[in-house]
Amino acid sequence: LRLEPNDADAKQTKLFLLLQTEQYDSALTLIDLGGDGQHPFEKAYSLYRLHSEEEAKTVLQEVKQEKGDADRATIHLEAQMNYREGAYDQAVELYNQLLETADPQSEEYSDILTNLQASQHHLDFITTGFLTSLDSLPSSTTGTIESTPPPTQSSSSQEAIKAAAAAATSSSSSPRKDDPQPEPKKPRKSRIPPGVIPGVTPPPDPERWLKKSERSTFGPGGGRRRKGQQGGGGATQGSSAGDLPSAQMQAPASTSSGGGAKKGKKKK
């Protein structure tokens, strides 16, 4: 159809596949696409399967005028529509007509016989079957059913039903003030590393990712210092002697290795 949209054989084949796979909406689109009024029976069948009985009846009448009343496919579809609508007497008549002209050895014959039995069963219940069911009930129950009038709705109950329906419509269209509002989402807690106390623990050095030579605390003259220029042991890494306070630049008092006691006079 892409190469030749007007190819009748290709259209007929695609329509058959759509009906076999129960894609009735697509089948109707394909039928209406050409706009030539072809395939009216397929259109009526698709409408019937989509529960559009009124439109299906209209199209089916056009098919009967074109093909006549003896077309078997048309009779099948009309009998199914009558069965669905509860016209079991007409369905029985049409199925009997099909059964008389069908081959007893064919699959069509068994399908017609099954549909005929179902239609006849419903028709028998409507005409006489319900009387048999009523006769099987106790006499007290039967008398109560026959003497009890059908229930009627009072005017007040009808007005109450209308008022409830109007209130339900208005409530569904406009939100109520007392309706519970959705709770706002709580802000997500920040992920704080263990051992860190906000406001107490000093923040990390923002220049910790830079090289030592690129940090603002790096003094002139290079990063390495001579031993004589080193300050106290408490100097931070990368700091120079010029950056230390004067108290730390003073040389500490000489101590002995014995714990810092002053040297005494040598005993004789």
Side-chain angles (χ1 to χ4, degrees):
L1 292 174
R2 292 181 181 178
L3 300 177
E4 187 60 38
N6 297 326
D7 190 348
D9 295 336
K11 185 177 181 180
Q12 179 69 28
T13 304
K14 184 176 181 180
L15 181 59
F16 175 78
L17 294 175
L18 291 175
L19 294 177
Q20 290 295 320
T21 55
E22 300 182 358
Q23 302 182 42
Y24 304 112
D25 290 323
S26 302
L28 289 175
T29 303
L30 180 63
I31 293 171
D32 298 336
L33 186 62
D36 49 5
Q38 296 183 358
H39 310 290
F41 175 78
E42 289 79 359
K43 182 176 182 179
Y45 179 75
S46 300
L47 291 171
Y48 161 75
R49 294 303 299 267
L50 293 173
H51 297 274
S52 300
E53 284 81 5
E54 295 299 329
E55 299 181 25
K57 280 184 177 181
T58 304
V59 179
L60 190 61
Q61 290 298 326
E62 299 175 359
V63 175
K64 291 176 66 176
Q65 294 177 2
E66 179 182 354
K67 296 184 178 182
D69 296 338
D71 184 64
R72 300 188 65 82
T74 306
I75 298 175
H76 269 286
L77 183 56
E78 186 178 5
Q80 292 178 7
M81 294 176 63
N82 289 326
Y83 180 83
R84 176 181 289 181
E85 293 180 349
Y88 302 114
D89 53 345
Q90 300 179 14
V92 168
E93 182 179 354
L94 292 173
Y95 282 130
N96 281 323
Q97 180 182 349
L98 291 170
L99 193 65
E100 292 175 357
T101 56
D103 183 8
Q105 304 300 327
S106 63
E107 184 179 355
E108 181 190 11
Y109 186 89
S110 59
D111 293 339
I112 295 173
L113 187 60
T114 302
N115 295 335
L116 176 60
Q117 291 175 354
S119 301
Q120 188 66 49
H121 177 74
H122 286 284
L123 182 61
D124 293 341
F125 181 80
I126 291 175
T127 54
T128 58
F130 75 97
L131 297 175
T132 306
S133 300
L134 290 176
D135 292 340
S136 63
L137 295 175
S139 58
S140 58
T141 305
T142 306
T144 304
I145 294 175
E146 293 178 353
S147 60
T148 303
T152 57
Q153 293 183 354
S154 60
S155 58
S156 58
S157 61
Q158 293 179 356
E159 293 177 357
I161 293 174
K162 292 181 180 179
T169 305
S170 60
S171 62
S172 61
S173 59
S174 59
R176 298 179 180 178
K177 294 182 179 180
D178 55 350
D179 288 342
Q181 300 295 331
E183 297 182 359
K185 295 183 178 180
K186 297 181 180 180
R188 184 177 180 180
K189 296 182 179 180
S190 59
R191 298 179 179 179
I192 301 175
V196 177
I197 302 175
V200 178
T201 305
D205 187 5
E207 298 181 354
R208 63 187 182 278
W209 309 112
L210 301 178
K211 297 180 181 180
K212 294 180 180 180
S213 58
E214 297 178 358
R215 299 181 184 180
S216 59
T217 57
F218 186 77
R224 295 185 178 181
R225 295 171 295 171
R226 297 179 180 178
K227 294 182 179 181
Q229 296 178 350
Q230 292 181 354
T236 59
Q237 183 179 1
S239 62
S240 62
D243 298 332
L244 299 176
S246 59
Q248 294 182 3
M249 293 180 63
Q250 296 178 1
S254 60
T255 58
S256 64
S257 59
K262 295 183 179 180
K263 290 184 179 181
K265 293 183 180 181
K266 188 176 181 180
K267 295 182 181 181
K268 292 182 179 181

